[in-house]
Amino acid sequence: NAGVTQTPKFQVLKTGQSMTLQCAQDMNHEYMSWYRQDPGMGLRLIHYSVGAGITDQGEVPNGYNVSRSTTEDFPLRLLSAAPSQTSVYFCASSPTERPSPLHFGNGTRLTVT
Amino acid sequence: AQSVTQPDIHITVSEGASLELRCNYSYGATPYLFWYVQSPGQGLQLLLKYFSGDTLVQGIKGFEAEFKRSQSSFNLRKPSVHWSDAAEYFCAVGPPPAAGNKLTFGGGTRVLVKP
């Protein structure tokens, strides 16, 4: 059972480039979310989804887009990368949107130069 | 808005000694509280959670945490640490049920274990 799978593990971008961070879960979870982790700041919520076709903004959504066309996949798009987006990105899921433990992927470390 | 404070950025402890990590939260209602652990290069793993009931919660790997409403705290403890407990620990608080599963995380405490 793979759980939450994130690809790639590492990525280096130049300022202005675009890319998509992939996230897939095989647990049939309705709720999925993206966090970014920065030193001393813990994890901050970027976007989340309570089901296929439904997404909403979290605490730090600027510069990121998401979509949820299937229950399994929740990609995060950076349209024009900026150095401030250098971070470690985590995808997480839970069975429903009701408060419950999140299941995390292993993260994507992104560097923007 | 909810917030979580972990006052200690780093803690160094000797193997076999006890460990206590502090967590204070700000929240207007009964919180849902979590502790997660992150080993280097890995995602976050749930150690334990508090939703209601007994305020002393047991988790995995020999950890426990105590919810103290009067102090707005949810401190994590382990009686005797092992070298494998070296990691970063995050406290998190969850929102009311109608607001989705949006957890707010503290800044983390990095634990170093001396032999």
Side-chain angles (χ1 to χ4, degrees):
Chain A
N1 194 342
V4 179
T5 302
Q6 291 184 238
T7 56
K9 288 183 67 68
F10 302 95
Q11 184 70 49
V12 179
L13 290 178
K14 295 188 188 307
T15 297
Q17 287 185 317
S18 63
M19 80 158 294
T20 299
L21 280 62
Q22 302 292 344
C23 175
Q25 51 90 10
D26 61 359
M27 298 173 285
N28 200 32
H29 284 177
E30 289 295 320
Y31 182 87
M32 296 186 75
S33 55
W34 277 101
Y35 286 85
R36 61 177 288 171
Q37 181 182 24
D38 302 292
M41 303 186 73
L43 282 76
R44 293 179 292 167
L45 181 65
I46 305 171
H47 285 284
Y48 66 97
S49 169
V50 300
I54 306 169
T55 64
D56 206 345
Q57 297 180 350
E59 179 186 355
V60 288
N62 292 341
Y64 307 96
N65 279 355
V66 292
S67 60
R68 184 98 179 268
S69 57
T70 67
T71 299
E72 295 78 19
D73 300 298
F74 190 45
L76 178 72
R77 284 188 266 296
L78 284 70
L79 300 179
S80 179
S84 61
Q85 294 178 304
T86 294
S87 187
V88 181
Y89 292 85
F90 286 98
C91 180
S93 71
S94 62
T96 71
E97 64 179 298
R98 294 181 62 81
S100 61
L102 289 171
H103 298 251
F104 283 85
N106 284 337
T108 295
R109 182 174 294 275
L110 175 68
T111 302
V112 183
T113 61
Chain B
Q2 62 212 45
S3 66
V4 179
T5 301
Q6 294 180 243
D8 304 303
I9 297 174
H10 294 100
I11 285 182
T12 299
V13 61
S14 297
E15 192 168 14
S18 64
L19 175 67
E20 181 167 11
L21 304 182
R22 296 183 289 164
C23 172
N24 295 100
Y25 65 89
S26 173
Y27 193 69
T30 301
Y32 300 89
L33 294 160
F34 307 84
W35 274 100
Y36 285 86
V37 61
Q38 183 182 30
S39 298
Q42 301 295 313
L44 279 71
Q45 179 185 21
L46 179 72
L47 282 176
L48 47 79
K49 66 182 186 293
Y50 172 79
F51 280 17
S52 64
D54 193 345
T55 56
L56 186 62
V57 180
Q58 302 298 319
I60 63 171
K61 302 179 188 250
F63 284 92
E64 66 178 24
E66 186 171 13
F67 170 58
K68 292 186 177 180
R69 185 187 302 275
S70 61
Q71 298 177 19
S72 297
S73 69
F74 188 55
N75 294 348
L76 181 72
R77 298 192 293 256
K78 185 168 184 177
S80 176
V81 297
H82 186 262
W83 63 266
S84 60
D85 294 322
E88 190 158 21
Y89 294 79
F90 292 93
C91 181
V93 62
N101 199 12
K102 295 185 287 184
L103 300 191
T104 297
F105 287 83
T109 298
R110 187 171 298 277
V111 174
L112 304 175
V113 180
K114 294 190 301 184

